[in-house]
Amino acid sequence: GNTVELNVRIFEDQPAAVQQLTQAVQDWCATHHCTVRIASYPSEVSIDDSTASQTDIFFFDIELAGGSGLHAAQAIRSHHPHVPIVFLTNHQKYVFDGYTVQAFRYLMKPITPKDCASCMEQAYAFSQSKQQQMLRIIQKGRWWFLPIEQILYIEATGHVCRIQTQQEQIDCRKSFCELRQELPPHTFIQTHRSYLVNYRDIHTLSDKSLCLDDGEQIPVSRSYRPAVIQFLATHLGGTL
């Protein structure tokens, strides 16, 4: 299979602690055949949403220079409810504060390899679950991960497939057949030889088309219509 790459972010103002944790993370990844990208920050900096969504685990010194690591963690947790967050501290008293942002882990410094291993196992599992909910596409020579739930429908047009999301239209070089195999069959229904639709965005079904929640019409060909009706009856319980 493909090599797993983990993205790790460390908020810690003590260089020795950063070095030790970095080494522990690298050692774990080496023995588990993962590649790793580690970014460290000596103070509380604001992380934009796309950076946070690419991160597989955060380590926060709870007494971070320039602010509280707890505050930064709360900001991330409010938009990313499932990403693993680990607090690092020299003081036992902070352990209770950590649970207010569902920190899955709380570690006393110095971090042992065993502690680090259990954190990285969580990060690995989180990374895998994220990938299953993402569609990997290449655009302008770069790989992008597109959240599957944001896809409204896919249309095959000539040599490209047009992916319509809630925000934009993306032209993708993958074949329609490849995309059909990569998207979860319990979420996407083929309505026509050139269309795949996310059933969660379907509003109504008429004779020859589907109407999406935003009013857009998607063709339903005669040969696919019985399967579409069956699919919708199963998934929507006849609410159309």
Side-chain angles (χ1 to χ4, degrees):
N2 295 337
T3 305
V4 174
E5 180 179 85
L6 298 178
N7 282 289
V8 176
R9 298 189 191 278
I10 302 169
F11 290 78
E12 166 63 77
D13 54 359
Q14 296 169 1
V18 173
Q19 178 57 43
Q20 189 214 10
L21 181 54
T22 297
Q23 191 61 56
V25 167
Q26 286 171 338
D27 289 348
W28 186 90
C29 288
T31 58
H32 291 79
H33 310 292
C34 300
T35 58
V36 64
R37 290 184 185 199
I38 302 173
S40 62
Y41 309 86
S43 64
E44 185 182 318
V45 295
S46 62
I47 291 284
D48 65 58
D49 242 22
S50 76
T51 302
S53 64
Q54 289 163 21
T55 304
D56 298 307
I57 190 165
F58 287 95
F59 290 94
F60 281 101
D61 174 7
I62 214 160
E63 305 130 294
L64 201 57
S68 150
L70 201 55
H71 178 261
Q74 275 165 330
I76 286 166
R77 178 60 85 223
S78 66
H79 291 102
H80 303 277
H82 306 298
V83 65
I85 293 177
V86 182
F87 290 120
L88 314 171
T89 186
N90 293 312
H91 303 289
Q92 192 71 47
K93 71 184 175 78
Y94 280 112
V95 69
F96 300 111
D97 287 340
Y99 289 108
T100 62
V101 284
Q102 311 149 15
F104 86 93
R105 202 67 208 263
Y106 181 90
L107 296 177
M108 296 289 290
K109 296 177 194 174
I111 285 130
T112 65
K114 187 179 171 194
D115 279 341
C116 181
S118 57
C119 293
M120 294 309 293
E121 281 157 18
Q122 290 269 3
Y124 183 89
F126 177 68
S127 163
Q128 293 301 97
S129 73
K130 248 189 345 188
Q131 302 246 352
Q132 285 157 13
Q133 296 151 24
M134 296 281 186
L135 179 67
R136 198 169 80 139
I137 55 173
I138 195 161
Q139 257 201 319
K140 296 174 185 166
R142 287 184 58 195
W143 283 107
W144 295 85
F145 288 94
L146 182 65
I148 282 170
E149 65 187 23
Q150 289 181 11
I151 299 172
L152 302 180
Y153 65 88
I154 291 171
E155 179 188 2
T157 58
H159 296 299
V160 298
C161 282
R162 190 152 288 156
I163 301 173
Q164 183 66 51
T165 75
Q166 290 152 356
Q167 287 85 26
E168 61 186 330
Q169 203 175 69
I170 299 163
D171 285 346
C172 170
R173 292 272 169 199
K174 282 187 176 176
S175 72
F176 187 76
C177 187
E178 277 179 284
L179 289 169
R180 194 179 59 215
Q181 287 170 355
E182 288 178 32
L183 290 166
H186 55 273
T187 306
F188 285 83
I189 174 75
Q190 186 166 357
T191 66
H192 180 280
R193 65 191 172 89
S194 305
Y195 282 88
L196 269 176
V197 182
N198 186 336
Y199 89 87
R200 294 189 176 101
D201 298 295
I202 295 171
H203 188 259
T204 49
L205 170 65
S206 61
D207 262 1
K208 294 182 180 172
S209 66
L210 285 170
C211 180
L212 302 187
D213 290 335
D214 64 2
E216 187 157 2
Q217 300 283 328
I218 302 291
V220 177
S221 63
R222 193 185 308 167
S223 55
Y224 284 98
R225 187 174 163 78
V228 170
I229 291 170
Q230 179 64 51
F231 183 97
L232 295 177
T234 305
H235 288 75
L236 297 175
T239 56
L240 285 176

